[in-house]
Every structure is written in C-alpha cells, then in structure tokens.
Amino acid sequence: MKVKGYILDLDGVICDTARFHFQAWSRLALEYGITLNDEDHEKLKGVDREGSLRYILNKAHISPEADLLLRDMERKNAWYLDMVAQMSPADLFPGTLDFLRQAKENDMRIALGSASRNAGLVLKKLNIEPWFDAVVDGNIVENGKPHPETFQKAATLLHLKPEECIVFEDAPSGIQAALAAGCIAIGIGNPDSLKGARVVLPSLASFVPRH
Ligand code: BG6
Ligand code: MG
C-alpha cells in the first residue's frame, strides 16, 4: 500500500526533550533514594506522566496514593517546564526542517503522535506547528503507548488508513503502539531496544523515502 502520511513522535524524535523528562524524573527518584539508570530511561520513554511516576514509585517500593501521585506529577512537570522554557527553534534536532520540507514536497500528510500533554507548548517553542496537519497528544488520548490509540487517532485525523502511515518513534513502547495500530514503524535511536521496527535510523535526517 502506498505511504501517504508520516506520524512523528515528539520527545526524542524531533528534539531532545526525552532528556529533559529523564532529568526531571531522575531528580524526583533521587528524593526517594533511587538512581535511574539507562535501562530505566529506555523503559520510561514514551510512557505517559502517571505511568512514569508509578514506575518510579514501584521501584522505590512506595505505595501510589492518589494525593502523592498528583503532587509528584505536578512537581516533576514544573521542573520539566523550567527546561522547556529555555527552548527555541535552535533545539530542533538537525535535519528536522529538511525532513518536514521534503515530506510536504512529496505530498505527505504529517501528524504528531505524542504521549505528552506539553506537546503543543514544545511545538510552539520550536516554531513548527504549521507543518502539522494533525496533532495527537496526551490531552486527547485515553490510553497511552503501547496502546495503539495515539496512532489510530493520528491516522484517522489525517484521513488515512494506519497502513498508509509511517510512524517515527524513539521509544520501545511507541514502536509497540505503532505496530499494534497497524502502521509501519521506523525507530529513531538504539537498534538494540527498538525491536520490531522496520528499520532503526540515528535520526530523522537519515531518512530516505523509498515509497
Ligand atoms: C512522552 C515522553 O513523549 O511523553 C515521556 O517520552 C513522558 O517521557 C510523556 O512521560 C508524557 O509527557 P508529559 O509532558 O505529559 O508529562
Ligand atoms: Mg519519544
């Protein structure tokens, strides 16, 4: 089937905000006496805010009471937003604008498919909102990745079938979600952790369309 659309994850695909999320979660985890490692980082990528906090509390053997969840999600988000406040278009990963330009020249429809409730803000900081025909983020999705909802919604908003869309993802949970939705999955980052992806590239800049 002909590829007609691209669905891009945000954090770790378009810009380095995966690092900001990890720094903020690491700061919180340290308060509970635990140090997050590289394996935790991989596992947390793509996981929504509450799911990430539950992972950390579980690792610290702390019971996830509702008020604690709310308080810590808010604290982590405030630290994350402090980092996002410093962002500008210079924080786009190199080659992202060329990727978007080339996609449009090839008549591709483009959607964002992110778990983040801050995705709209980050797109604004990067000044790339106008490139997207649809934005699916953590505010409009009920089931986070690896559930397929994010990418199913994105394909629907692009008026495409999932199999007509390529998803670009840096997270194992995101690759699973893309495959479960019926999309083609391209990994961005580490081939060892992105099993199931059709191919794993170092960045969007290395993508050469063959469709
Ligand atoms: C994903 C990130 O894109 O968004 C996760 O990979 C993050 O690390 C998730 O937890 C939710 O983000 P936010 O901004 O809603 O807390
Ligand atoms: Mg990501």
Side-chain angles (χ1 to χ4, degrees):
M1 191 166 286
K2 192 170 162 23
V3 173
K4 295 181 180 167
Y6 296 154
I7 306 173
L8 308 186
D9 174 48
L10 174 68
D11 301 314
V13 168
I14 291 176
C15 57
D16 205 7
T17 35
R19 190 167 50 89
F20 295 168
H21 282 293
F22 187 63
Q23 281 175 9
W25 285 129
S26 296
R27 177 172 171 181
L28 186 81
L30 269 183
E31 289 188 6
Y32 292 118
I34 57 168
T35 304
L36 298 180
N37 57 29
D38 290 349
E39 197 189 328
D40 296 319
H41 192 187
E42 284 307 306
K43 284 190 183 153
L44 284 170
K45 281 182 188 169
V47 177
D48 65 20
R49 201 178 299 175
E50 184 171 332
S52 302
L53 177 55
R54 283 181 183 276
Y55 174 94
I56 289 164
L57 293 177
N58 182 49
K59 200 170 159 147
H61 304 291
I62 291 166
S63 138
E65 307 297 342
D67 52 346
L68 180 74
L69 284 173
L70 278 181
R71 190 199 68 174
D72 280 355
M73 284 196 292
E74 217 160 272
R75 288 198 307 142
K76 179 269 174 178
N77 197 47
W79 298 331
Y80 175 72
L81 288 177
D82 281 347
M83 293 185 260
V84 168
Q86 310 299 319
M87 290 179 77
S88 75
D91 290 299
L92 276 171
F93 278 143
T96 305
L97 281 181
D98 289 336
F99 172 94
L100 294 167
R101 207 171 289 125
Q102 193 184 48
K104 283 294 173 200
E105 280 168 13
N106 291 335
D107 288 329
M108 290 293 142
R109 295 176 211 172
I110 307 175
L112 192 84
S114 170
S116 176
R117 291 195 229 156
N118 295 303
L121 172 66
V122 174
L123 290 184
K124 271 206 184 78
K125 296 294 271 180
L126 297 171
N127 202 18
I128 55 169
E129 295 160 290
W131 290 97
F132 291 86
D133 301 299
V135 172
V136 176
D137 65 19
N139 298 298
I140 63 164
V141 164
E142 272 175 36
N143 305 287
K145 302 169 188 177
H147 192 284
E149 185 182 345
T150 302
F151 298 125
Q152 285 166 339
K153 266 210 167 106
T156 303
L157 288 174
L158 291 180
H159 305 288
L160 295 176
K161 298 189 182 103
E163 56 269 33
E164 292 175 315
C165 301
I166 299 182
V167 168
F168 295 85
E169 256 294 351
D170 70 318
S173 62
I175 297 289
Q176 283 178 51
L179 295 176
C183 299
I184 299 160
I186 293 193
I188 300 292
N190 180 357
D192 294 334
S193 58
L194 298 174
K195 305 277 183 234
R198 182 161 294 189
V199 60
V200 180
L201 305 172
S203 70
L204 287 179
S206 334
F207 177 66
V208 180
R210 295 187 205 286
H211 42 77

